[in-house]
Amino acid sequence: DIITNGYLLDKRCIERLLQIGKWEMIQITIDGRPIIHDNRRVLASGRGSWERIVTNAAYALDAGLPVIIRMNIDQNNATDFKSTISLLVEKNLLPRASLYLGSVVDSTNECTHMGKHKLTRKKFAEAQLSLQKELLSFGFSPGCKLPEPKCTLCTADSDNGYVISPKGRIFKCWNEIHLSDTAAVGHLLEKSAAHYDENLKRWQNYDPFRKSE
């Protein structure tokens, strides 16, 4: 599996992924219509990224990769699902890919400005139901499943789960992605360092039952 914003997932990258072996999921984030997505996911130049990401997602689907589209929502984009679905159909992403929602959260200090816009659990559940109804109206499967047990919660408690930062640093947890190299467990382009092994062992030895509550 891989989770990516899709911006670098061009044809050359897709060929490399196919050479690695079989993929079960390629998750790409598209946060709604271009005007909304490009306001959230802006390049350093100030330009938006919607068009390129959508094009790359289509390349991945054409190559037979199992693409899932995640749409992160808050109060600003939790209502207009119909136009988003229409655009994804127009771009030939749906129904070839599946679409589901994620909730915007303010997990770290860098994200505190998002706190005032995040949805309550109730509002998020209502948005999920709204999306499922819209998908059904287009004749698509809403992707509903019965509740099931989960063996792992995230990358942090999975032996083979890693998060790659833009600078090539390897972390175990999404919420550490902003930290310096001293918190990393490895690097894509540099030789191993002692603190990488120490940080990795800390995660491997993590035991939630040490916490009395």
Side-chain angles (χ1 to χ4, degrees):
D1 300 343
I2 186 172
I3 299 173
T4 170
N5 63 23
Y7 190 79
L8 299 179
L9 194 66
D10 55 17
K11 290 182 177 179
R12 181 184 176 192
C13 181
I14 289 168
E15 288 175 3
R16 293 179 65 185
L17 292 180
L18 291 171
Q19 291 170 3
I20 291 174
K22 182 175 175 59
W23 291 85
E24 294 186 3
M25 182 196 75
I26 308 290
Q27 180 184 299
I28 298 173
T29 309
I30 300 174
D31 287 341
R33 295 176 292 127
I35 191 172
I36 296 174
H37 175 99
D38 287 345
N39 188 49
R40 295 163 178 257
R41 296 178 179 267
V42 188
L43 303 179
S45 64
R47 292 184 294 111
S49 57
W50 191 90
E51 193 66 42
R52 177 163 170 171
I53 291 171
V54 166
T55 298
N56 287 347
Y59 288 155
L61 286 163
D62 291 343
L65 289 170
V67 174
I68 295 176
I69 297 172
R70 173 180 168 121
M71 180 177 169
N72 293 316
I73 62 168
D74 57 20
Q75 295 175 14
N76 298 317
N77 66 333
T79 55
D80 186 19
F81 297 130
K82 186 173 184 177
S83 60
T84 298
I85 293 172
S86 296
L87 277 171
L88 296 179
V89 171
E90 181 183 317
K91 293 294 185 178
N92 198 24
L93 298 190
L94 296 180
R96 296 196 296 166
S98 58
L99 172 66
Y100 85 103
L101 300 179
S103 182
V104 173
V105 294
D106 52 346
S107 299
T108 64
N109 290 334
E110 288 74 16
C111 302
T112 52
H113 63 289
M114 299 178 180
K116 61 183 179 181
H117 300 298
K118 68 180 181 180
L119 298 172
T120 63
R121 293 180 71 115
K122 180 180 179 182
K123 290 294 183 182
F124 179 69
E126 291 172 354
Q128 285 182 305
L129 184 60
S130 176
L131 174 67
Q132 289 162 3
K133 288 180 177 178
E134 290 291 357
L135 288 170
L136 279 172
S137 73
F138 278 80
F140 303 151
S141 168
C144 300
K145 295 192 301 183
L146 292 173
E148 59 186 16
K150 296 184 70 171
C151 296
T152 59
L153 182 64
C154 64
T155 58
D157 62 357
S158 176
D159 285 342
N160 296 317
Y162 298 96
V163 187
I164 313 298
S165 80
K167 295 183 178 180
R169 295 168 182 157
I170 304 173
F171 296 90
K172 288 294 291 178
C173 178
W174 288 96
N175 291 339
E176 290 190 339
I177 198 78
H178 65 292
L179 298 179
S180 68
D181 184 74
T182 56
V185 299
H187 199 288
L188 290 180
L189 305 175
E190 298 175 2
K191 293 182 178 179
S192 180
H195 69 274
Y196 291 158
D197 294 333
E198 294 172 2
N199 291 337
L200 182 58
K201 286 179 180 177
R202 176 169 57 87
W203 282 107
Q204 290 173 333
N205 293 329
Y206 173 74
D207 180 4
F209 295 107
R210 291 178 182 172
K211 296 184 178 182
S212 59
E213 66 273 19

